[in-house]
């Protein structure tokens, strides 16, 4: 599995990343902008994410805004 964790709280991001590591490859992003960019890059490379963990309340671009990105 290819997983993406989009979470602005570093402790939560690290905990989720460690917890998910046994399920597959884990990438992380610190805000919605980074998350949207990581998602697009994964799509363009032909290796899309199987699952995305998305925080709703983040700076720059919240989770709802991230979901609306193409």
């Amino acid at each position: 599995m290819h997983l993406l964790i989009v979470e602005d709280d570093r402790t939560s991001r690290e905990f989720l990343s460690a917890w998910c590591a046994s399920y597959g490859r884990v990438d992380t992003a610190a805000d919605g902008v980074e998350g949207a960019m990581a998602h697009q890059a994964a799509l363009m490379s032909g290796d899309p994410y199987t699952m995305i963990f998305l925080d709703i309340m983040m700076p720059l671009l919240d989770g709802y805004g991230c979901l609306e990105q193409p």
Side-chain angles (χ1 to χ4, degrees):
M1 260 201 286
H2 190 193
L3 310 168
L4 174 63
I5 297 169
V6 185
E7 168 63 64
D8 62 319
D9 181 71
R10 190 184 86 205
T11 302
S12 296
R13 191 171 57 244
E14 290 174 356
F15 172 80
L16 280 169
S17 181
W19 185 75
C20 291
S22 64
Y23 295 99
R25 187 179 45 183
V26 179
D27 295 332
T28 62
D31 60 51
V33 173
E34 286 183 19
M37 290 172 53
H39 177 253
Q40 285 297 320
L43 286 175
M44 298 284 286
S45 73
D47 187 21
Y49 292 105
T50 308
M51 184 179 292
I52 298 175
F53 294 86
L54 184 60
D55 184 10
I56 296 301
M57 297 173 55
M58 294 181 289
L60 302 179
L61 183 64
D62 65 16
Y64 295 112
C66 189
L67 283 173
E68 294 173 346
Q69 297 301 304

